[in-house]
Amino acid sequence: MSDQPTADTPETGPQAPAPIPAVPESAPPPPSPPEPTPDPQIDAPPSNWRPPAKSRATVAAIIVLALCAILTILYSWRLPPFAGWSEKTDNAYVRGRVTIISPQVSGYVTHVTVQDFAEVKAGQVMATIDDRIYRARVAQAEANVAAQQASLANSAQAQRSREVATEAQNAGIANAQAQSVKAQADMRRARALVADGSISAREFDQTRAALLAAQAGVRQAQASRAIGTQDVRTVVVGRAGLEAAVESAKAQLRLAQIDLDNTIIRAPVDGQLSEIGVRDGAYVTAGTQLLSIVPRNVWVVANYKETQTRDMAVGQRATFKVDALGGALLNGRIESLSPAAGSEFAVLKPDNATGNFVKVAQRIAVRIAIDPGQAAAARLRPGMSVEVSIDTRGGRQR
């Protein structure tokens, strides 16, 4: 048996320490225990920690993005430096001289020579109206003119006839005066003869009666001459009325001719037609709307708030986007500003003399001329909606 006591053997005396076994030098060291995983919420970084340094390109990109964001916010809210140099509105439309075509005479439409949305030139025939009645009126007016001219010619002939009669009356006056002179000579001789008794008193009385008759004949001839003169004046005075009647008849003829010409409806200007509202055989009256012509000359009218027009002036540049053209951008210039707010041209003007008055910003119309040489401008049509921006720099009133 071994000399070493077992663990179960009770010791009666002091127990001796157990001997430490010898470890050979060539044996490997015992493995170290695993280190615990650091917890970011518990294990805080040291106080001298710094994020990794960024490159110069990254810093420049961040600064540029920040500046762009700031400038976008300032531009959207129209804050300095973007405040005041540009005024915008979406209350703007393309305008043009839309011409409504209506007949000046009534009648049945005999022929329509154009189609919907066709291009027409000034003077081109678009429709015709039955002209038989108007041709008859022209012929009647021509006959009336001829009758009045004949009356005027008769007046001229009557004047010449009266003037010839006046010459005959002048000759009658001369004859009566000669008879008066002869009667006066006979009277002088009769006075001498009756004094010495060569002739009787009866012959003297006959001579005296002949003198008185000759004198009465002179006065009668002069009265006839005065009547003839008045007859000539009457003809002359009446001629003025006949000349006026001739001019009136000619005016009636011109009116009838105008009505006849108006049976042919022609295009007043170059442009494009609207939808045709009349067909062959339709009865139209004067003023009936048949169709419309839209010339190519268009412009833009933008309705700005009155507070936006402070710095606007004629000649300032303007840009506008057209909704119908996919937002195509066009250029123009301010041509004129309305002389009054839109409410002043309304049929029923607002009455603000009440206790519940609410201030409403008024609108001022601004007419913008479209710059030439823009291809997209050929597609503009009156009534299109646009968004306008006007550069008001340089227009501030001092």
Side-chain angles (χ1 to χ4, degrees):
M1 296 182 64
S2 173
D3 294 337
Q4 295 180 354
T6 62
D8 297 334
T9 304
E11 291 292 337
T12 56
Q15 186 176 357
I20 299 174
V23 179
E25 295 180 356
S26 61
S32 59
E35 296 181 358
T37 303
D39 189 350
Q41 296 181 352
I42 299 176
D43 299 331
S47 59
N48 59 352
W49 181 86
R50 295 289 184 275
K54 296 180 176 61
S55 63
R56 292 184 177 179
T58 302
V59 174
I62 293 174
I63 293 174
V64 170
L65 291 176
L67 290 176
C68 290
I70 293 173
L71 292 176
T72 301
I73 294 173
L74 294 176
Y75 179 79
S76 301
W77 288 90
R78 299 181 64 189
L79 297 174
F82 301 101
W85 66 269
S86 177
E87 297 292 349
K88 297 182 179 180
T89 183
D90 57 359
N91 186 358
Y93 306 92
V94 179
R95 296 299 186 206
R97 295 186 179 90
V98 180
T99 303
I100 298 176
I101 304 301
S102 301
Q104 296 186 13
V105 296
S106 301
Y108 289 95
V109 177
T110 57
H111 188 47
V112 179
T113 61
V114 292
Q115 298 179 352
D116 297 343
F117 314 133
E119 295 282 346
V120 295
K121 298 295 183 179
Q124 180 178 341
V125 177
M126 298 183 294
T128 57
I129 297 176
D130 187 5
D131 61 354
R132 291 175 296 176
I133 296 176
Y134 301 100
R135 288 186 181 278
R137 291 178 180 175
V138 169
Q140 183 180 10
E142 289 176 346
N144 188 26
V145 170
Q148 297 299 331
Q149 288 177 341
S151 298
L152 181 60
N154 289 334
S155 175
Q157 180 62 31
Q159 180 181 355
R160 289 191 294 270
S161 177
R162 298 295 190 278
E163 290 174 350
V164 172
T166 302
E167 294 298 329
Q169 291 164 357
N170 291 334
I173 292 174
N175 182 36
Q177 288 176 346
Q179 293 297 328
S180 177
V181 171
K182 178 180 178 297
Q184 289 176 359
D186 292 341
M187 188 63 185
R188 285 193 297 270
R189 287 192 297 269
R191 284 195 182 96
L193 294 173
V194 74
D196 59 6
S198 299
I199 62 174
S200 63
R202 180 175 176 274
E203 290 177 344
F204 177 80
D205 292 338
Q206 290 177 349
T207 303
R208 183 173 179 275
L211 174 60
L212 294 176
Q215 292 176 347
V218 171
R219 291 193 296 271
Q220 183 178 5
Q222 291 175 346
S224 297
R225 175 64 176 80
I227 293 174
T229 302
Q230 295 303 320
D231 289 341
V232 173
R233 292 181 179 176
T234 300
V235 172
V236 173
V237 172
R239 182 181 300 172
L242 294 175
E243 291 175 348
V246 170
E247 295 300 325
S248 176
K250 290 181 178 179
Q252 293 297 329
L253 175 60
R254 287 192 295 270
L255 289 176
Q257 188 64 50
I258 290 173
D259 288 341
L260 179 60
D261 295 340
N262 287 333
T263 58
I264 301 176
I265 301 175
R266 302 178 184 271
V269 293
D270 297 346
Q272 187 176 9
L273 299 180
S274 65
E275 185 177 359
I276 308 300
V278 67
R279 295 294 181 264
D280 294 354
Y283 183 82
V284 296
T285 59
T288 302
Q289 181 175 345
L290 304 182
L291 49 92
S292 298
I293 296 180
V294 182
R296 290 301 182 186
N297 183 23
V298 294
W299 60 90
V300 174
V301 173
N303 299 305
Y304 277 94
K305 295 180 181 178
E306 54 186 331
T307 55
Q308 294 178 286
T309 61
R310 180 188 61 174
D311 299 331
M312 290 185 183
V314 175
Q316 290 177 343
R317 297 192 58 81
T319 57
F320 58 94
K321 296 181 180 179
V322 185
D323 298 346
L325 303 183
L329 190 64
L330 296 172
N331 299 321
R333 292 183 179 275
I334 294 181
E335 189 174 28
S336 59
L337 281 78
S338 174
S343 60
E344 293 298 315
F345 301 110
V347 177
L348 300 177
K349 294 182 174 56
D351 184 7
N352 296 326
T354 58
N356 56 350
F357 166 72
V358 177
K359 184 177 181 180
V360 178
Q362 299 299 310
R363 295 279 178 171
I364 303 296
V366 179
R367 175 167 171 156
I368 299 172
I370 302 173
D371 292 343
Q374 303 180 86
R379 299 185 58 188
L380 295 178
R381 299 293 185 271
M384 286 184 174
S385 299
V386 297
E387 297 180 5
V388 179
S389 176
I390 296 177
D391 186 354
T392 59
R393 288 176 291 186
R396 186 179 298 276
Q397 300 177 356
R398 294 179 174 85

